[in-house]
């Protein structure tokens, strides 16, 4: 994947070469060289963990500016359910949806509706007798990319259903064009995103060739302007002709996808497990890979702590947002009885299922020639045995194993290890003493 497709980028001017990001990257995609961090494109999964831990704000998420919607004649906002958790005292989502329209969008489409459609599709997959167990959710692109990089044996377990964002974008465009008689090419669908991984998933889709969404605008980008729209909502509601937005709504259970466990709750599957936080997800995937969870039928893994509400480009504290989503779901459930008004044919199967396999990402390509690659592997093991095994990160590589690989690939030197350097200096000092003594004897 080319660096231009990644949303997580390095601001070299702010990087001071500390090792915070180096130690926390779940795929060991970061190196410190010449006093600056470097992100290895082939290993980065855009989870945003480095954004959270960088105290110097040298890691940033590149998303589309709000002005980018002007590329299209007609613009549709696709608010992630996480957006609703950024605002207090919401009893329904209409004020948010109307605020987005006043910000320049021609229409809105609640991504929770996409979550409802995906829930139904995943439920059908779980009923298939030939379905692998456990099926693994495809909703979090960072987790899917983690599997591509670190757990390729589990790729066949990923459920072949596109994400709620993709489902919502496809439905939003289709319904808008049918309602207004316009050309689909004139319509742009923009996801209001809490995370960098979704922006990357639009530029470089997983399991399909082209994203149904045309861009990703961060929640931080819209928060201030949308807040001002909500403050004038009562006056605007009295003066403006209100569009009936009920058809754009998702169900309360769809909105619940914003929190960890929301997908499992919507599926109502007893043998399902929801885990959040990229380190926790990694440990569970390792357990699945080693067949230590034989009774598990479905695994919902979310890279961010708390789920999407804990994304790296949201405004509100994740714990507060989680509580707000909980209250909003309860309020909306009371108002509509928790029903699901979606028609069975909300989205054709061809637009919902993957149309290409999810392939592993090769991260350690030593040589095109197999025999040379084997020699280099032996060299890596030889160097690794010489290293102290402390995984301190002071060399600029996250582990001693990674340093050995970097040395063989020409990205580092043995003397980058402070312990080997100390030994070399100590040996040189001893040699200097011996030479000095021999000189005095003469």
């Amino acid at each position: 994947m080319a660096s231009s497709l990644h949303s997580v980028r390095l601001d070299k001017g702010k990087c001071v070469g500390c090792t915070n990001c180096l130690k926390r990257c779940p795929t060991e995609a970061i190196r410190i060289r010449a006093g600056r961090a470097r992100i290895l494109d082939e290993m980065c999964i855009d989870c945003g963990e480095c954004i959270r831990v960088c105290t110097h704000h040298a890691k940033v998420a590149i998303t589309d500016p709000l002005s980018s919607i002007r590329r299209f004649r007609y613009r549709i906002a696709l608010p992630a359910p996480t957006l609703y958790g950024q605002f207090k005292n919401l009893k329904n989502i209409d004020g948010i949806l109307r605020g987005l329209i006043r910000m320049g969008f021609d229409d809105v489409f609640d991504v929770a509706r996409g979550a409802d459609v995906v829930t139904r599709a995943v439920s059908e997959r779980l009923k298939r007798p030939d379905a692998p167990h456990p099926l693994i959710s495809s909703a979090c692109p960072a987790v899917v990319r983690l599997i591509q990089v670190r757990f390729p044996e589990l790729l066949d377990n990923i459920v072949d259903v596109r994400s709620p964002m993709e489902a919502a974008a496809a439905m939003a465009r289709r319904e808008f064009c049918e309602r207004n008689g316009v050309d689909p090419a004139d319509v742009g669908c923009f996801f209001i995103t809490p995370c960098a991984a979704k922006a990357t998933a639009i530029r470089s889709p997983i399991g399909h060739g082209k994203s149904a969404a045309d861009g990703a605008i961060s929640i931080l980008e819209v928060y201030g302007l949308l807040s001002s729209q909500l403050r004038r909502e009562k006056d605007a509601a009295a003066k403006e002709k209100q569009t009936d937005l009920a058809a754009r709504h998702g169900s309360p259970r769809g909105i619940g996808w914003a929190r960890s466990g929301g997908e499992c709750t919507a599926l109502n599957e007893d043998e399902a497990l929801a885990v959040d936080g990229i380190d926790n997800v990694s440990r569970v995937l390792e357990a699945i890979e080693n067949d230590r969870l034989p009774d598990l039928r479905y695994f919902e893994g979310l890279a961010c702590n708390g789920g999407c509400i804990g994304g790296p480009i949201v405004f509100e504290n994740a714990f507060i947002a989680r509580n707000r989503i909980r209250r909003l779901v309860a309020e909306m459930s009371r108002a509509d009885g928790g029903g699901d008004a979606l028609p069975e044919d909300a989205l054709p199967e061809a637009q919902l299922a993957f149309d290409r396999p999810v392939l592993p990402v090769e991260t350690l390509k030593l040589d095109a020639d197999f025999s040379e690659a084997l020699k280099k592997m032996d060299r890596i093991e030889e160097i690794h045995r010489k290293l102290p095994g402390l995984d301190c990160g002071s060399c600029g590589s996250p582990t001693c194993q990674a340093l050995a690989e970097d040395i063989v690939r020409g990205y580092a030197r043995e003397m980058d290890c402070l312990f080997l350097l100390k030994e070399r200096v100590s040996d040189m000092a001893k040699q200097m003493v011996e030479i000095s003594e021999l000189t005095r004897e003469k």
Side-chain angles (χ1 to χ4, degrees):
M1 186 164 40
S3 60
S4 60
L5 296 179
H6 281 290
S7 179
V8 175
R9 310 276 183 87
L10 172 70
D11 185 340
K12 293 182 179 179
K14 294 181 179 179
C15 182
V16 299
C18 72
T19 59
N20 286 342
C21 59
L22 181 84
K23 295 174 181 177
R24 291 294 298 273
C25 179
T27 58
E28 299 182 357
I30 297 177
R31 302 290 187 271
I32 307 296
R33 299 286 180 255
R36 295 289 185 273
R38 177 192 172 198
I39 301 175
L40 305 181
D41 293 335
E42 66 274 16
M43 299 176 72
C44 178
I45 61 173
D46 292 275
C47 64
E49 192 67 18
C50 58
I51 296 176
R52 293 187 183 88
V53 302
C54 182
T55 56
H56 303 281
H57 307 291
K59 313 298 187 303
V60 295
I62 304 298
T63 55
D64 296 289
L66 184 58
S67 59
S68 65
I69 68 175
R70 297 172 189 161
R71 294 186 286 123
F72 293 88
R73 184 176 180 182
Y74 305 103
R75 308 107 180 208
I76 303 176
L78 307 172
T82 300
L83 180 64
Y84 312 137
Q86 309 302 298
F87 303 96
K88 60 183 178 181
N89 301 325
L90 288 184
K91 295 187 180 301
N92 59 60
I93 63 173
D94 284 359
I96 299 285
L97 303 186
R98 283 194 293 267
L100 289 167
I101 290 175
R102 288 196 293 268
M103 285 170 54
F105 291 97
D106 296 289
D107 202 358
V108 287
F109 194 96
D110 182 14
V111 172
R113 265 195 74 189
D116 290 328
V117 173
V118 169
T119 297
R120 181 176 290 123
V122 173
S123 295
E124 292 301 316
R125 300 298 195 277
L126 281 166
K127 294 175 185 176
R128 294 178 180 175
D130 60 342
H133 287 164
L135 279 177
I136 298 175
S137 172
S138 60
C140 178
V143 170
V144 175
R145 294 192 192 280
L146 175 68
I147 295 172
Q148 288 179 291
V149 171
R150 286 188 52 190
F151 304 97
E153 291 184 5
L154 298 179
L155 287 173
D156 290 339
N157 292 64
I158 297 172
V159 65
D160 64 332
V161 177
R162 303 190 194 191
S163 70
M165 174 188 74
E166 292 292 338
M171 286 191 293
R173 178 177 279 105
R174 184 192 68 184
E175 293 180 12
F176 184 86
C177 292
E178 289 175 354
R179 196 164 51 244
N180 298 283
V182 300
D183 186 342
D186 291 334
V187 180
C189 296
F190 291 85
F191 182 60
I192 311 301
T193 183
C195 75
K198 289 292 189 183
T200 303
I202 293 173
R203 301 183 186 116
S204 180
I206 304 172
H208 49 103
K210 185 179 186 302
S211 175
D214 298 287
I217 301 168
S218 80
I219 286 177
L220 285 175
E221 174 93 5
V222 304
Y223 178 81
L225 186 54
L226 188 52
S227 295
S228 66
Q229 295 295 338
L230 286 177
R231 284 194 291 270
R232 56 186 287 264
E233 168 66 15
K234 289 184 179 180
D235 292 338
K239 296 176 183 178
E240 298 175 1
K241 180 181 178 181
Q242 297 299 307
T243 302
D244 182 12
L245 297 172
R248 279 74 155 179
H249 287 192
S251 72
R253 71 179 185 182
I255 291 175
W257 273 55
R259 301 181 298 167
S260 177
E263 182 180 359
C264 287
T265 300
L267 286 170
N268 196 29
E269 167 58 50
D270 291 336
E271 298 299 332
L273 177 65
V275 175
D276 58 284
I278 196 68
D279 290 336
N280 297 328
V281 170
S282 295
R283 283 192 285 271
V284 174
L285 288 174
E286 184 176 347
I288 293 172
E289 188 176 51
N290 293 325
D291 200 26
R292 295 204 301 269
L293 299 172
D295 297 327
L296 188 63
R297 283 174 47 82
Y298 195 76
F299 176 57
E300 171 197 340
L302 296 170
C304 299
N305 290 322
C308 295
I309 53 170
I313 47 178
V314 299
F315 178 81
E316 190 53 88
N317 174 278
F319 296 101
I320 293 174
R322 180 175 63 184
N323 202 37
R324 288 175 178 172
I325 291 291
R326 179 187 61 78
R327 291 201 303 265
L328 176 61
V329 167
E331 185 70 34
M332 293 181 68
S333 296
R334 282 193 295 270
D336 66 7
D340 181 1
L342 280 175
E344 290 293 331
D345 61 345
L347 198 65
E349 175 70 12
Q351 288 184 282
L352 193 58
F354 286 177
D355 57 22
R356 58 188 62 187
V358 181
L359 301 175
V361 173
E362 189 174 14
T363 59
L364 184 61
K365 187 173 182 179
L366 295 175
D367 200 287
D369 182 86
F370 184 70
S371 61
E372 286 298 317
L374 287 177
K375 292 178 183 177
K376 289 183 178 180
M377 288 182 67
D378 291 340
R379 176 64 178 150
I380 288 172
E381 289 304 312
E382 179 186 340
I383 295 172
H384 188 223
R385 285 193 293 269
K386 293 166 58 178
L387 297 172
L390 297 177
D391 298 339
C392 65
S394 58
C395 61
S397 298
T399 63
C400 290
Q401 176 68 32
L403 175 60
E405 294 168 1
D406 290 344
I407 292 169
V408 170
R409 289 192 288 182
Y411 301 152
R413 302 167 303 166
E414 288 189 22
M415 289 304 102
D416 287 335
C417 174
L418 295 183
F419 294 90
L420 292 186
L421 179 61
K422 182 180 177 181
E423 289 179 5
R424 176 71 63 83
V425 170
S426 178
D427 289 342
M428 290 177 64
K430 290 178 182 178
Q431 291 174 10
M432 292 295 292
V433 170
E434 291 173 359
I435 292 171
S436 176
E437 290 176 350
L438 287 173
T439 302
R440 283 199 301 270
E441 290 176 2
K442 291 180 180 180

